[in-house]
Amino acid sequence: MATSKTKKATSKAEKMNFFGHKSSSAADPPRAAGQEGADEVASSPSPAPSEDSLPVDCLTRSHFELAMETMAEKLIATWKTTADQIKREVRDLSARTATMERRHQEIETVQTATSEKLQAIQHKLTAMEERMADHEDRARRNNLRLRGVPETVLPDDLQAYARGLMRAYAPDIPADMLLVDRIHRVSKPKNLPDSIPRDVLLRAHYFHIKELVLRSHRNRGDPHDDFPSVRIMADLSPATLRRRRDYSQTTTVLRSHGIRYRWGFPTKLILTKGGKTSIISSPEEGLQLIEKWGLLKEQPGEQRHDKRRPGRNAAMD
């Protein structure tokens, strides 16, 4: 009992001393500057604070700066990778562009050479067509085409009919020179009605007799009284007829103004006006010439006639 009482008294004394010390320190007057400095020297230095004991603001700032540095490093690495990839793509694109430009230049060179060759071939082809047409026309030069011969004239009677027609337009030619090597009817275009008779094609034995009959028919203008429905035309190749058809506007104007012309080979117009001979080698030249002469005026009746039956008018010219 005495021991327990002693311990209680001791603990009470310690508590009193502890609180008494605190209270005395709070009530003590301020020490002098020297004494405070001596106490600081005498006291041992306190240890540095650990990371766990740092304030919350310091920890947040440190972690944010670390996160920003890590993010910056990642962004720099990503940008570097992207930049390297873009550089590679730009190099590849530059190489492909250079290849395409080189190929494009090669294609242009080949195309230019091909175009020049094509033009040369076109000129040669046109010249060959003109020569073939000329040869075909020369093979037909003794031929005459008779249009409007009635179908009632039988094939066996065609030669006698043709000799009588030639005699009517060339009465001064001896009968023994009005020879016909061959004569027959030709097929009729499908667009013509059945009432129109088929053309008759004949080959005169003498070229000058054929030319005399054809010239007499042209100069006469009106049909012969004994053969009112028959027209005499030169027998030309289809290529020549197509080319002559291109001159139809020019020839229509020339005929309407009484200007005589003749055809040349390859297809061209040879006309004389005011004592001056002009050679027209293309339809464009013909239009320019008649416009220069002030003759380019619309001829409604003639143009309608040419548009309706271009092949026949071209053959008559």
Side-chain angles (χ1 to χ4, degrees):
M1 291 296 292
T3 305
S4 61
K5 290 181 180 181
T6 305
K7 288 181 179 181
K8 289 180 181 180
T10 304
S11 61
K12 288 182 180 180
E14 289 177 356
K15 289 180 181 181
M16 291 298 293
N17 291 335
F18 176 79
F19 288 108
H21 178 72
K22 291 292 183 181
S23 60
S24 63
S25 62
D28 287 343
R31 300 179 181 180
Q35 186 177 357
E36 185 177 0
D39 293 339
E40 290 179 359
V41 173
S43 62
S44 61
S46 60
S50 62
E51 185 176 356
D52 296 336
S53 63
L54 290 175
V56 178
D57 294 341
C58 294
L59 291 176
T60 304
R61 181 179 300 175
S62 177
H63 291 165
F64 179 74
E65 291 178 354
L66 181 61
M68 290 297 293
E69 291 178 358
T70 304
M71 185 180 297
E73 292 177 356
K74 291 182 179 179
L75 289 175
I76 292 173
T78 304
W79 290 343
K80 185 176 180 181
T81 304
T82 306
D84 294 340
Q85 184 178 0
I86 292 174
K87 289 180 180 178
R88 287 194 300 270
E89 291 179 356
V90 169
R91 285 195 298 268
D92 295 342
L93 183 61
S94 300
R96 291 191 310 189
T97 303
T99 303
M100 292 178 62
E101 289 179 353
R102 184 176 64 256
R103 291 182 178 177
H104 181 68
Q105 187 175 3
E106 293 175 355
I107 291 173
E108 284 185 348
T109 304
V110 173
Q111 184 179 5
T112 302
T114 305
S115 178
E116 294 176 355
K117 291 181 180 179
L118 183 61
Q119 291 179 359
I121 293 173
Q122 185 66 36
H123 291 318
K124 291 182 180 179
L125 181 60
T126 303
M128 291 177 62
E129 289 179 348
E130 291 178 352
R131 290 182 180 180
M132 290 179 63
D134 187 25
H135 286 306
E136 187 175 356
D137 290 331
R138 290 180 184 275
R140 297 171 181 238
R141 64 184 307 183
N142 281 38
N143 293 355
L144 282 176
R145 183 177 288 266
L146 308 180
R147 180 159 295 165
V149 179
E151 291 284 350
T152 56
V153 180
L154 300 178
D156 295 338
D157 301 332
L158 284 177
Q159 189 165 6
Y161 184 89
R163 294 185 64 177
L165 179 65
M166 295 171 67
R167 166 69 66 183
Y169 282 98
D172 298 334
I173 302 300
D176 58 348
M177 297 188 67
L178 298 177
L179 300 180
V180 177
D181 292 342
R182 55 182 177 270
I183 185 170
H184 60 87
R185 289 189 183 270
V186 296
S187 59
K188 183 171 56 178
K190 296 180 179 180
N191 59 343
L192 294 181
D194 296 336
S195 59
I196 297 178
R198 293 173 295 169
D199 292 348
V200 174
L201 188 65
L202 69 88
R203 176 179 173 82
H205 185 75
Y206 296 104
F207 174 75
H208 69 282
I209 300 299
K210 168 254 179 182
E211 284 292 311
L212 180 62
V213 172
L214 185 60
R215 189 181 304 111
S216 176
H217 174 76
R218 289 176 178 172
N219 294 336
R220 184 182 180 89
D222 298 332
H224 199 277
D225 296 336
D226 296 336
F227 303 92
S229 62
V230 179
R231 289 184 297 167
I232 304 175
M233 299 172 294
D235 181 38
L236 300 173
S237 63
T240 301
L241 291 176
R242 284 194 301 268
R243 290 188 177 90
R244 289 190 178 187
R245 196 176 299 124
D246 296 337
Y247 292 83
S248 60
Q249 187 174 359
T250 302
T251 55
T252 300
V253 175
L254 293 176
R255 286 196 304 270
S256 65
H257 289 83
I259 301 176
R260 300 185 63 85
Y261 61 88
R262 59 188 178 89
W263 293 102
F265 295 93
T267 305
K268 65 183 69 173
L269 278 177
I270 303 174
L271 53 93
T272 302
K273 181 177 182 297
K276 183 179 179 181
T277 302
S278 302
I279 299 177
I280 301 173
S281 301
S282 66
E284 291 76 13
E285 292 182 8
L287 294 177
Q288 292 175 1
L289 183 61
I290 60 178
E291 184 178 5
K292 180 181 178 181
W293 289 347
L295 305 178
L296 189 59
K297 295 180 181 179
E298 186 177 0
Q299 306 291 332
E302 292 290 341
Q303 287 185 356
R304 285 197 300 268
H305 183 69
D306 289 348
K307 184 176 181 180
R308 184 173 63 252
R309 302 168 71 179
R312 297 181 175 231
N313 295 331
M316 290 182 63
D317 292 340

